[in-house]
């Protein structure tokens, strides 16, 4: 793309779209023997977000997967906020048809928003740990893949993950119980 | 030492007592850090205990993606 080769931009966008599809498919996948959702909408929204930030400006695989995780995060958070706003009588509340899943989603949406806030707080104190969390949770990467991507050993990446899990659990417990962190 | 370094050093030890002993040594003069890391170790132990079926949202990304990915629900597949 940087060399201005014809068709390179289209080829890159296609590759990016495929990668996002793979991430979404690995996360949505199959559960209880049935395929639950098609990832099309999530992938498309994430792709638009990535495109808006300029895919061609991504320097390497690390930048790409970080941006992909961020695009997925923003899409999921926006959807969770919209869902909550609908439940609380927001603009689209009347248009929604309640189903069994709606009964469990409001707490899940709150949990996701709390997790998002906790990750944001972690970013200022432990940015590398927060990055590992985002790559794992939102981009579906394994510890080994993150280690390869970030040039950090697998053992160190695993230590970052173990610490991040404990830190986030502690933070989320404090928020649930109304205690100071 | 930073909190994560103290935390990881403590995790190398097998028992809670040995971990507390290490924390007293590494966090000498910094009771706030000792308290922070102690709480992190407690949180880690809780995660380990409930690992069979973790309730931590961090361990349930599939649920989050399924709930908030948008898109349409498919009919159950015939498998």
């Amino acid at each position: 793309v940087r060399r201005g080769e014809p068709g390179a931009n289209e080829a890159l966008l296609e590759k990016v779209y495929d990668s996002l599809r793979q991430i979404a498919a690995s996360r949505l996948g199959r559960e209880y023997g049935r395929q639950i959702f098609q990832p099309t909408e999530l992938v498309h929204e994430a792709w638009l977000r990535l495109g808006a930030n300029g895919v061609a400006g991504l320097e390497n695989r690390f930048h790409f997967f970080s941006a992909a995780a961020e695009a997925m995060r923003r899409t999921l958070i926006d959807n969770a906020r919209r869902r909550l706003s609908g439940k609380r009588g927001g603009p689209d509340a009347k248009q929604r048809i309640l189903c069994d899943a709606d009964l469990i989603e409001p707490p899940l949406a709150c949990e996701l928003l709390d997790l998002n806030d906790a990750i944001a707080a972690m970013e200022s104190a432990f940015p590398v740990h927060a990055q590992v969390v985002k790559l794992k949770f939102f981009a579906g990467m394994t510890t080994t893949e993150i280690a390869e991507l970030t040039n950090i050993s697998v053992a160190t990446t695993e230590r970052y993950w173990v610490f991040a899990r404990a830190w986030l659990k502690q933070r989320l417990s404090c928020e649930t119980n109304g205690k100071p962190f | 030492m930073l909190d994560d370094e103290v935390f990881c050093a403590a995790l190398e030890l097998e028992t809670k007592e040995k971990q507390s002993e290490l924390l007293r040594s590494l966090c000498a003069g910094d009771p706030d850090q000792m308290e922070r890391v102690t709480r992190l170790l407690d949180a880690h132990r809780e995660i380990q205990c409930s690992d069979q079926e973790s309730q931590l949202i961090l361990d349930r990304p599939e649920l989050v993606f399924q709930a908030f990915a948008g898109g349409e629900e498919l009919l159950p597949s015939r498998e």
Side-chain angles (χ1 to χ4, degrees), chain A residues 46-169:
Chain A
W47 186 71
L48 287 175
R49 284 171 197 275
L50 261 179
N53 292 328
V55 170
L58 299 173
E59 294 280 324
N60 51 38
R61 289 183 75 238
F62 175 71
H63 282 172
F64 167 70
F65 280 103
S66 300
E70 184 62 16
M72 288 288 187
R73 184 188 69 80
R74 284 172 184 267
T75 305
L76 292 167
I77 294 299
D78 282 356
N79 285 348
R81 285 203 177 113
R82 262 200 297 275
R83 199 73 61 84
L84 265 183
S85 141
K87 290 286 180 306
R88 289 170 182 161
D92 62 343
K94 286 182 185 168
Q95 291 158 20
R96 286 184 47 77
I97 300 167
L98 289 175
C99 62
D100 289 348
D102 287 325
L103 300 175
I104 59 162
E105 279 177 16
L108 188 62
C110 292
E111 278 186 69
L112 177 60
L113 297 181
D114 286 346
L115 175 66
N116 187 50
D117 289 346
I119 293 172
M122 174 176 255
E123 263 176 333
S124 55
F126 301 100
V128 183
H129 300 70
Q131 187 64 23
V132 169
V133 170
K134 287 201 282 188
L135 288 170
K136 251 187 191 276
F137 192 86
F138 295 110
M141 299 184 82
T142 65
T143 302
T144 307
E145 288 168 338
I146 295 170
E148 282 172 10
L149 194 69
T150 53
N151 268 334
I152 301 172
S153 73
V154 173
T156 302
T157 308
E158 181 60 24
R159 278 200 296 274
Y160 286 160
W161 172 241
V162 170
F163 177 81
R165 272 180 95 199
W167 195 94
L168 289 169
K169 179 175 173 49

Side-chain angles (χ1 to χ4, degrees), chain A residues 23-24 26-28 30-31 33-38 41-42 45 72 75-76 79-80 83 105 108-109 111-112 115 119 126 129 133 137-139 159-170 172-174 180-181, chain B residues 2-9 11-12 35-48 50-51 54-79:
Chain A
I23 290 170
S26 74
R27 278 303 185 219
L28 290 165
R30 285 166 185 271
E31 192 172 72
R34 70 184 189 125
Q35 191 172 355
I36 297 182
F37 283 106
Q38 286 185 323
E41 190 176 323
L42 172 68
E45 280 188 48
M72 288 288 187
T75 305
L76 292 167
N79 285 348
R83 199 73 61 84
E105 279 177 16
L108 188 62
E111 278 186 69
L112 177 60
L115 175 66
I119 293 172
F126 301 100
H129 300 70
V133 170
F137 192 86
F138 295 110
R159 278 200 296 274
Y160 286 160
W161 172 241
V162 170
F163 177 81
R165 272 180 95 199
W167 195 94
L168 289 169
K169 179 175 173 49
Q170 166 68 12
L172 292 170
S173 300
C174 287
F181 180 63
Chain B
L2 299 171
D3 285 7
D4 59 329
E5 293 168 330
V6 178
F7 173 85
C8 289
L11 278 192
E12 299 289 320
E35 193 186 329
R36 281 195 309 272
V37 179
T38 301
R39 284 190 305 190
L40 288 171
L41 289 167
D42 288 342
H44 175 73
R45 269 189 288 274
E46 278 178 42
I47 292 171
Q48 295 297 101
S50 61
D51 240 3
S54 173
Q55 294 303 307
L56 193 60
I57 190 172
L58 194 59
D59 297 322
R60 297 178 293 161
E62 290 82 4
L63 203 60
V64 168
F65 272 68
Q66 283 159 16
F68 306 114
E72 58 193 271
E73 190 165 5
L74 301 176
L75 293 171
S77 59
R78 294 173 186 223
E79 290 182 299

